[in-house]
Amino acid sequence: MDKGQHGRRDRLLKEKRHDTYKEGKKWPEPTACTECNSVYLEGRWTWYEPPVNANKIICPACQRIADNFPAGTLTLNGYFFGKHRDEVLNLIHNEEKLEKGEHPLERIMKISREDNHILITTTGIHIARRIGEAISRAYQGELSFTYGDGEKTIRVFWDR
């Protein structure tokens, strides 16, 4: 059986993954965000003071916030959360401070509170998972997470 010079034609082709908020190119250095003043320097976003001559753009995190298109969602449920809301929120803000200090593109977008649950949206998948794991370590409970879109989004659930 001769397959010809072009080989098999019945194979599945993988489509190229496309993420609007992931940079496919390097920005000219230095580049500063007009919204949050983070600076793209040496191939990564940092919190250095933006130079006067820096190029001006909106960073991917600020763009996600403006578009209201989160990469991560974290849902906290349960009677325990209702009784210890302030304590848990302090832990959440402390984890955000640590993650945001190291990685400027990882931020909390919004915290929506209801009676016995809270919904947190984030600009990155890592901060959502980090917050979920910190709450699970501190207060135990049931933690689960699900990746979607080829690991470009995450849904984290915690219940106790």
Side-chain angles (χ1 to χ4, degrees):
M1 182 166 113
D2 184 22
K3 294 183 181 142
Q5 69 187 43
H6 300 293
R8 291 183 63 155
R9 294 175 194 243
D10 63 344
R11 63 190 166 112
L12 292 174
L13 299 176
K14 279 188 169 181
E15 290 186 29
K16 188 174 183 180
R17 292 183 182 173
H18 179 71
D19 185 0
T20 306
Y21 299 99
K22 185 168 176 140
E23 302 156 351
K25 60 175 180 155
K26 286 191 165 194
W27 297 104
E29 294 184 15
T31 296
C33 177
T34 57
E35 303 292 317
C36 66
N37 289 327
S38 62
V39 177
Y40 184 80
L41 197 59
E42 297 178 3
R44 63 185 302 256
W45 289 94
T46 61
W47 288 116
Y48 294 130
E49 187 68 31
V52 177
N53 64 340
N55 299 310
K56 304 288 185 194
I57 63 155
I58 297 177
C59 72
C62 291
Q63 189 63 50
R64 271 192 186 274
I65 293 168
D67 295 346
N68 194 26
F69 193 75
T73 59
L74 176 65
T75 305
L76 309 175
N77 288 322
Y79 180 74
F80 177 85
F81 175 72
K83 291 184 77 174
H84 300 274
R85 180 183 305 204
D86 293 336
E87 202 176 307
V88 174
L89 288 174
N90 284 338
L91 176 63
I92 290 167
H93 290 299
N94 289 338
E95 287 297 319
E96 179 199 20
K97 189 183 216 180
L98 291 171
E99 184 71 20
K100 187 176 164 183
E102 296 173 19
H103 306 284
L105 300 183
E106 298 281 333
R107 304 183 206 155
I108 291 177
M109 292 173 59
K110 186 177 180 183
I111 299 176
S112 305
R113 300 176 190 168
E114 295 189 14
D115 291 336
N116 281 334
H117 87 269
I118 191 168
L119 177 67
I120 302 168
T121 56
T122 64
T123 59
I125 61 172
H126 302 292
I127 189 170
R129 184 167 179 166
R130 180 176 179 158
I131 291 170
E133 289 174 345
I135 290 171
S136 181
R137 276 192 311 272
Y139 304 110
Q140 287 71 48
E142 298 292 322
L143 176 70
S144 65
F145 48 89
T146 308
Y147 287 97
D149 288 341
E151 297 187 7
K152 290 183 280 187
T153 61
I154 189 170
R155 290 181 168 266
V156 180
F157 298 97
W158 179 80
D159 191 9
R160 178 171 169 199

